[in-house]
Amino acid sequence: MRKHLLRGGSLVAALLLWQLLTSLHVDFWLHFDRLPTVVDVARDLGYQLQTSLYYQDLGDSLARILIGFALAALAGVAIGVAVGRSALAGDLVSPPLEVLRPIPAIAMVPIAILLFPSNEQGIVFITFLAAFFPILVSTRHAVTALPVVWEEAVRTMGGNGRRVLWNVVLPGALPGVFSGLSVGMGVAWICVISAEMISGQYGVGYRTWQAYTVVDYPGVIVGMLTIGLLGFGSAAAVELVGRRVTRWLPREAEVAR
């Protein structure tokens, strides 16, 4: 209860400070007089919640995230396990991936526009690329960090490579995999919103940029808050699934006792 009160109190305090600085038109290095107040944003949010366009944008952005993230999760975990388990796979796959990994996904927007026949497919590709590398790297590190004695114990009892994979590698790597999934979800939201701003036709990012072009600053803040809530909710969902899947692991409180 104390933790929830502290978190709720910090949020209320931030909103009150925002309202105070903007309503008093504070202009001291930072120009708070140019920002809308909390009341203005709340009024605009209430209006948008009554329109179908707001929910269409939500649906479009969520669809792009879910498709891109699902593809990235499948590819990232599969390739991460292969690279972590096989030196040959690492030699074949790692060099081109390591060259591509430092390139920001949003920098690939021009390539996506050239490659794909529609903007929708290009945005999904950017989302996939953004989430893929955090998942891949976390999975690879989780696999290579597994104690060798676990595999040796299974093989001593007659287990083959498939049993080692399903009973040792995948369960043991799950905590690291879900860490990568959580990070990948956050990065995917950053890049899908940026891609929507550049080449989208619908979506929260596109609508936020449209609000900026027509000097609708309350609409811009509503878009930003919507993005934040969507990102927070989806990352929390991934972490919740991770806790459920790895509930057999000892938790910090149990270790402390």
Side-chain angles (χ1 to χ4, degrees):
M1 179 62 69
R2 180 175 178 272
K3 179 180 70 174
H4 292 305
L5 288 174
L6 286 174
R7 292 183 175 183
S10 66
L11 181 60
V12 171
L15 292 174
L16 289 175
L17 180 61
W18 174 9
Q19 177 67 25
L20 181 66
L21 292 172
T22 52
S23 61
L24 294 179
H25 304 289
V26 175
D27 185 5
F28 182 72
W29 188 54
L30 295 176
H31 304 290
F32 291 101
D33 56 323
R34 301 179 182 178
L35 295 178
T37 65
V38 176
V39 175
D40 294 332
V41 174
R43 186 183 299 114
D44 191 271
L45 175 61
Y47 167 75
Q48 291 198 38
L49 288 175
Q50 300 175 28
T51 65
S52 61
L53 193 60
Y54 181 80
Y55 299 99
Q56 180 182 349
D57 290 332
L58 285 182
D60 289 335
S61 293
L62 284 172
R64 291 160 178 167
I65 277 288
L66 291 176
I67 295 172
F69 182 77
L71 294 174
L74 292 174
V77 172
I79 297 176
V81 171
V83 170
R85 294 286 298 168
S86 169
L88 176 61
D91 293 336
L92 292 174
V93 177
S94 291
L97 291 180
E98 289 302 316
V99 172
L100 292 174
R101 186 161 67 93
I103 303 174
I106 198 62
M108 301 293 288
V109 168
I111 302 299
I113 293 173
L114 294 175
L115 280 177
F116 293 93
S118 71
N119 287 343
E120 188 69 24
Q121 296 169 349
I123 293 173
V124 171
F125 170 72
I126 295 299
T127 307
F128 162 82
L129 206 60
F132 170 74
F133 286 108
I135 297 171
L136 167 67
V137 173
S138 293
T139 302
R140 183 185 64 194
H141 287 325
V143 170
T144 55
L146 292 175
V148 178
V149 67
W150 292 1
E151 179 176 348
E152 293 176 346
V154 174
R155 292 192 180 278
T156 300
M157 292 184 290
N160 55 19
R162 180 179 299 178
R163 184 170 292 277
V164 169
L165 177 65
W166 287 105
N167 293 87
V168 175
V169 176
L170 293 180
L174 275 179
V177 169
F178 274 96
S179 295
L181 291 173
S182 181
V183 174
M185 178 62 79
V187 179
W189 271 112
I190 294 172
C191 290
V192 73
I193 295 300
S194 302
E196 287 177 347
M197 289 182 174
I198 295 173
S199 62
Q201 295 179 339
Y202 296 99
V204 180
Y206 171 79
R207 201 64 56 191
T208 302
W209 183 252
Q210 286 295 105
Y212 173 75
T213 58
V214 297
V215 200
D216 177 16
Y217 295 128
V220 173
I221 302 297
V222 168
M224 292 169 59
L225 293 176
T226 302
I227 294 164
L229 290 174
L230 289 173
F232 172 78
S234 54
V238 171
E239 292 179 3
L240 177 61
V241 172
R243 287 196 297 270
R244 294 291 177 86
V245 173
T246 61
R247 60 183 180 274
W248 48 271
L249 288 173
R251 303 302 175 187
E252 293 181 2
E254 298 175 1
V255 173
R257 287 198 297 269

